Amino acid sequence: MLVFDSHATANALNPNAGFDAKRDFAPVMLLATAPMLLTTPAGRPWTSLAEVAAAAKARPDTITYGTVGAGSLAHLTMEVLQQRGGFSLVHVPYRGGGPLATAAVSGEVDLAIASRVGLGGQVGTRLRALVQTGAARSASLPDLPTVAESGFPGVDAEAFWGVLGPAGVPAAVLARFAAALAAALAEPVVRQRLVEGQGWTSSAAHRAVAAFLDRQMAAWGQVVRERGIKAE
């Protein structure tokens, strides 16, 4: 099963989901991570996160931001950012990346936050990137500052993609599958499409995935509980 960052909050958002995101699956590989980008349509005036924060403080609850859905990593990241920054925006959840990208480029929302691929390839043309959410600048976007560099320390979030199997699969089988995945990801054409084309930071880490998922579940589950966020 291929999962992304929503896997880390599935049970926190919906305790009655019918599965345990940790107990019922065996981690195979963390494929990659990627920073999310906070963007604005080219026609909007803001050129930095600081300008957005100042405008939001001057006019609370008037600037809108879109995400791929309530309880998504992008939504949780913006909740933390608003709390740390002392400003208030209006969340507009969409049903996935396609509707979000369409709304972003049409100017339906003032801001949109997603991974670069989730924004439909419009960053740098119809969308202006203001900041990236990773702890460090992405190699594919070396000139775009991080949230911390923009004056908001302690906000660090990256989209991720991983592969899981059913709980109870023999370790030897998981290891063989992980080796095959790693070999495929090492192919130059695959790396070019994913790393350069979509802004992924390739991980291909077999042993680290369980610990990574544990950290993600603990950190973002806490945000869900503290902010009282519900899946919609």
Side-chain angles (χ1 to χ4, degrees), residues 128-227:
R128 179 190 308 120
L130 303 175
V131 72
Q132 56 183 309
T133 64
R137 295 190 185 194
S138 167
S140 63
L141 294 165
D143 298 325
L144 186 65
T146 65
V147 173
E149 290 173 327
S150 301
F152 300 87
V155 182
D156 170 17
E158 289 189 303
F160 69 84
W161 296 264
V163 176
L164 310 177
V169 173
V173 174
L174 294 179
R176 183 179 177 185
F177 186 25
L181 285 172
L185 290 169
E187 291 288 336
V189 172
V190 175
R191 289 185 59 82
Q192 190 279 329
R193 289 181 178 176
L194 297 180
V195 177
E196 298 178 21
Q198 299 189 20
W200 282 23
T201 299
S202 181
S203 175
H206 174 46
R207 296 181 180 177
V209 61
F212 176 86
L213 287 175
D214 285 348
R215 292 194 299 271
Q216 295 291 309
M217 290 178 184
W220 297 112
Q222 181 177 346
V223 174
V224 169
R225 291 186 292 271
E226 288 179 350
R227 305 291 287 180

Side-chain angles (χ1 to χ4, degrees), residues 68-177:
V68 296
S72 63
L73 180 62
H75 179 203
L76 301 182
T77 301
M78 292 300 290
E79 286 286 323
V80 173
L81 179 58
Q82 291 172 85
Q83 184 180 42
R84 301 279 176 87
F87 59 91
S88 182
L89 306 171
V90 178
H91 180 218
V92 182
Y94 289 89
R95 292 184 178 275
L100 171 63
T102 299
V105 299
S106 69
E108 186 174 298
V109 286
D110 297 309
L111 306 165
I113 178 170
S115 63
R116 191 170 75 184
V117 66
L119 293 166
Q122 300 297 325
V123 177
T125 54
R126 300 172 69 181
L127 294 176
R128 179 190 308 120
L130 303 175
V131 72
Q132 56 183 309
T133 64
R137 295 190 185 194
S138 167
S140 63
L141 294 165
D143 298 325
L144 186 65
T146 65
V147 173
E149 290 173 327
S150 301
F152 300 87
V155 182
D156 170 17
E158 289 189 303
F160 69 84
W161 296 264
V163 176
L164 310 177
V169 173
V173 174
L174 294 179
R176 183 179 177 185
F177 186 25

